Amino acid sequence: MHTSSTAAKFAPSKQPGSLLDSLLEAAGDIVFRVTLGGQVRAASRRALTLTGVAPGGRPLVSLVHDVDQQALRTALLNAGTSGGGPELVEARFRCNERDIWFELRIGLVASGDDAPLLVVGRDLSAQHATEERLRHMATHDSLTELPNRVLLSDRIRMVIANARRSGQGFAVATIGLDGFKKVNDGLGHAVGDAVLRTAAGRLRRTLRDSDTLARVGGDEFVAVLPGSASEAQIKLVTGRLMAALQSPFEIDGHTIYLAGSIGVSLYPDHAEDEVRLVTLADTAMSRAKETGKARAVTYSPSDQGPPEHDISLEAAMFNAVREGEFQLYYQPIVDARNRTIEGFETLMRWKHPSLGMVPPVRFIPIAETNGLINLLGAWALKAACMQIRQFEEAAGRELYISVNISPRQFRNDKFLTVLDDALALSGTPGSKLVLEITEGTLMVDPVHAESVLGKMAERGARIAIDDFGTGYSSLAYLKRFPISVLKVDRAFVKDLPGAEKDAAICNAVLDLAKHLDLSVVAEGVETEAQLAWLDRLGCQYVQGYLTGKPMPAHVALTALKENLYTELLPHDLRAVQS
């Protein structure tokens, strides 16, 4: 009799009068009536359909995933014995060969039979799907569906943990697309995005299932290669990665040719944490791009990018601008024959309150990279134009001032406006100003350079090629551009007069300048022998520690007022000066 009653309860009643049956259908997505021992006595229609439970009763825990059974068993026990509020537990029910998450609320009801536990389940499928999508969005790149930086860091930490246990090294490779900017600029971002998706697919197919490929921004990808640490293994993998990118990309009727530059770092040889491994691989990739592109470079200390202390130095530079820590020094440019000061080169110096004088070789490249050089360069140009007027008043004769123009300044659209402002503010005519530019700066964009140099010359300013002979190898620009002065780099002066090759180069430059009607300034003159040799060859102007170190403005003013530069003259020339 008891058995037949239970079986009847499994078959949903066809009569509308059963209040309990109605409650079972309305209470939740799935509903069960369960004994204190955990046996199912009745279930709602949807519960029967989803779980496939048959009349006759079976343990409720048998309907859920193995790993969730203990939690459900405990919740049923607590609900039947505590007498308190309902128990809540999440569990996955096996439903037609798939698992569906339900939140189960288990409580005691006065049923008057042997099934006092009412289990009401709420389907969590939509909620879990949303949570999964959010997790995926947080850990994957939306364009390529590859892992992003967040998931990449987690994967590298896992590989590091495994490597520590196994004692086996691994590699991290950063892959950058060469020439990708031209795609975005020339064909638009939609085509660029399609290229990135295609590149991501090619790279992913090249790697093993155990490898991780992530997109970390722009056109850069990072591959984590467990177990690949030998030179042969790295060469094989990077070769395949580069080959994957060399095939043309056919996008919307466009045939696009790109290549890849790859940088590699090794665990534990180069670093033992995920941040440093990626940073060093990125440094190696930059080296690959600098040395020809379409190649793979494994990190070495000689490839080191900006050291960590330079990051702090960069922050200090912005504070230095606010606090007025930058200063201008002036190095005399003198007549090689009589050592009369003809002008000064303006040199930037930074006096840090705790570090002291920071060498320009440390802060100028940082300023060039972060754009601060535009602000500093504009200030230096204006200050130099103001200073030359004071120098001329002190000397009682005409002088000129020479100012270095950085590559980034020269390419800035507002450079000519800054130049005009400096000349107008100081009242200095352009003829008093020499602007020093390196060969490399001119040759990055010769058309732009020709236009800007022409406008600089229209303002009366003279153009000097700084460090002549160390940059661009062609001399055609001497004919093309309005250049007035060549500054012979100190590398060709320091071993004079004994070095035959340096002597030959200097001789050739002087001869070239003579035929092109250009002035020549020899830099880095430090000995009387160097000065005498240059003077004998007809080099009119010299600059260096022999004839004057870089000095603050007030020291230069004193030297001009009191004619102190004559103290540097040999005795036979001092008499002429006096």
Side-chain angles (χ1 to χ4, degrees):
M1 178 177 173
H2 180 76
T3 303
S4 61
S5 173
T6 303
K9 289 180 180 178
F10 270 101
S13 173
K14 297 180 180 179
Q15 302 298 323
S18 172
L19 177 61
L20 188 56
D21 287 346
S22 299
L23 287 174
L24 286 178
E25 299 307 322
D29 294 323
I30 57 172
V31 183
F32 300 93
R33 291 189 60 219
V34 182
T35 69
L36 292 176
Q39 298 289 318
V40 176
R41 289 284 183 256
S44 64
R45 287 188 178 89
R46 185 158 188 254
L48 292 172
T49 301
L50 287 176
T51 63
V53 66
R58 62 186 288 188
L60 181 64
V61 295
S62 68
L63 304 179
V64 304
H65 198 284
D66 293 352
V67 297
D68 300 327
Q69 288 183 3
Q70 184 55 50
L72 177 57
R73 189 177 288 111
T74 301
L76 288 169
L77 180 63
N78 290 341
T81 58
S82 66
E87 292 286 319
L88 288 177
V89 65
E90 289 187 11
R92 283 161 289 184
F93 278 76
R94 297 191 183 94
C95 304
N96 298 323
E97 298 183 355
R98 67 189 183 97
D99 293 339
I100 299 179
W101 278 99
F102 284 91
E103 178 189 64
L104 303 177
R105 181 182 293 268
I106 307 171
L108 276 172
V109 295
S111 62
D113 56 22
D114 70 339
L117 293 179
L118 184 65
V119 181
V120 178
R122 181 169 65 92
D123 189 341
L124 297 179
S125 298
Q127 178 179 324
H128 277 263
T130 300
E131 290 173 355
E132 181 58 33
R133 282 197 302 273
L134 291 174
R135 277 195 296 270
H136 185 85
M137 290 170 61
T139 57
H140 288 76
D141 171 54
S142 60
L143 178 65
T144 63
E145 291 298 312
L146 293 175
N148 61 15
R149 285 185 182 274
V150 175
L151 185 53
L152 173 67
S153 292
D154 185 63
R155 294 275 178 88
I156 297 178
R157 284 194 292 269
M158 289 174 59
V159 176
I160 288 173
N162 290 334
R164 284 175 178 161
R165 287 193 294 269
S166 68
Q168 190 176 38
F170 69 92
V172 172
T174 298
I175 306 131
L177 302 186
D178 298 329
F180 179 73
K181 186 176 184 296
K182 70 183 180 185
V183 178
N184 272 345
D185 292 347
L187 301 176
H189 288 276
V191 174
D193 288 349
V195 168
L196 289 173
R197 283 192 292 268
T198 303
R202 289 183 185 180
L203 294 172
R204 180 62 266 181
R205 288 190 294 273
T206 300
L207 300 173
R208 303 165 299 179
D209 291 341
S210 59
D211 300 329
T212 294
L213 179 69
R215 181 180 176 227
V216 295
D219 61 354
E220 288 192 11
F221 301 85
V222 173
V224 185
L225 311 169
S228 298
S230 71
E231 184 177 347
Q233 289 171 323
I234 299 303
K235 186 175 181 179
L236 178 64
V237 176
T238 56
R240 288 174 176 170
L241 291 170
M242 286 191 290
L245 298 174
Q246 286 171 348
S247 300
F249 291 78
E250 302 290 346
I251 308 291
D252 293 345
H254 302 285
T255 301
I256 301 165
Y257 289 90
L258 298 174
S261 294
I262 302 178
V264 179
S265 64
L266 301 176
Y267 172 93
D269 300 29
H270 299 143
E272 296 186 27
D273 66 274
E274 76 277 8
V275 174
R276 192 71 178 147
L277 283 166
V278 174
T279 298
L280 297 184
D282 196 55
T283 298
M285 184 196 69
S286 297
R287 180 65 175 162
K289 286 183 176 290
E290 291 168 2
T291 54
K293 300 182 180 179
R295 60 193 301 260
V297 170
T298 299
Y299 172 79
S300 69
S302 61
D303 297 328
Q304 184 69 285
E308 292 181 13
H309 59 259
D310 277 358
I311 307 301
S312 301
L313 199 65
E314 181 175 20
M317 285 178 65
F318 287 93
N319 184 66
V321 172
R322 292 191 296 269
E323 299 299 325
E325 295 172 10
F326 286 98
Q327 306 170 13
L328 292 183
Y329 274 49
Y330 302 88
Q331 185 169 29
I333 300 172
V334 307
D335 187 297
R337 182 144 298 179
N338 57 29
R339 308 198 194 196
T340 302
I341 296 177
E342 299 291 338
F344 291 90
E345 179 180 355
T346 306
L347 301 167
M348 196 173 297
R349 296 291 184 263
W350 176 16
K351 188 174 184 180
H352 190 277
S354 58
L355 298 176
M357 298 301 289
V358 181
V361 70
R362 282 189 63 191
F363 71 80
I364 292 294
I366 299 174
E368 184 77 15
T369 300
N370 64 24
L372 192 58
I373 196 68
N374 287 321
L375 177 63
L376 292 173
W379 163 72
L381 189 56
K382 291 176 183 178
C385 288
M386 296 290 290
Q387 191 62 59
I388 189 60
R389 301 191 64 182
Q390 293 185 355
F391 286 161
E392 288 188 327
E393 290 174 7
R397 55 190 174 83
E398 290 190 355
L399 299 167
Y400 74 88
I401 198 81
S402 188
V403 182
N404 290 282
I405 305 301
S406 82
R408 189 157 184 164
Q409 274 181 281
F410 186 75
R411 292 192 298 268
N412 192 296
D413 292 340
K414 297 182 179 179
F415 171 68
L416 290 172
T417 302
V418 170
L419 175 59
D420 288 338
D421 289 346
L423 295 175
L425 179 67
S426 63
T428 300
S431 59
K432 305 284 186 184
L433 187 62
V434 172
L435 300 173
E436 298 189 16
I437 300 170
T438 63
E439 296 167 279
T441 300
L442 299 180
M443 303 318 298
V444 169
D445 186 350
V447 175
H448 172 262
E450 188 171 17
S451 172
V452 175
L453 291 177
K455 292 173 182 176
M456 290 162 64
E458 288 173 6
R459 289 154 172 79
R462 288 179 289 163
I463 313 302
I465 300 299
D466 195 17
D467 302 335
F468 181 73
T470 62
Y472 197 74
S473 58
S474 173
L475 298 178
Y477 69 86
L478 293 177
K479 175 183 176 182
R480 180 175 181 178
F481 302 141
I483 294 164
S484 301
V485 182
L486 302 180
K487 299 195 73 174
V488 180
D489 187 75
R490 65 188 68 249
F492 303 120
V493 174
K494 65 184 181 68
D495 295 323
L496 291 177
E500 292 183 7
K501 290 184 179 179
D502 290 340
I505 291 172
C506 289
N507 203 351
V509 171
L510 290 166
D511 190 52
L512 178 67
K514 180 180 178 181
H515 286 88
L516 295 177
D517 195 26
L518 302 175
S519 298
V520 177
V521 178
E523 299 181 289
V525 177
E526 298 183 356
T527 68
E528 291 288 349
Q530 291 169 348
L531 178 60
W533 189 91
L534 289 164
D535 181 29
R536 189 164 58 252
L537 258 67
C539 181
Q540 187 175 357
Y541 304 107
V542 297
Q543 177 182 350
Y545 279 19
L546 177 67
T547 53
K549 296 180 180 182
M551 58 190 75
H554 70 275
V555 176
L557 282 169
T558 302
L560 288 168
K561 285 178 182 177
E562 302 181 11
N563 224 19
L564 294 180
Y565 61 88
T566 57
E567 293 182 6
L568 299 170
L569 293 172
H571 287 287
D572 56 341
L573 287 177
R574 286 191 199 179
V576 175
Q577 289 290 319
S578 59

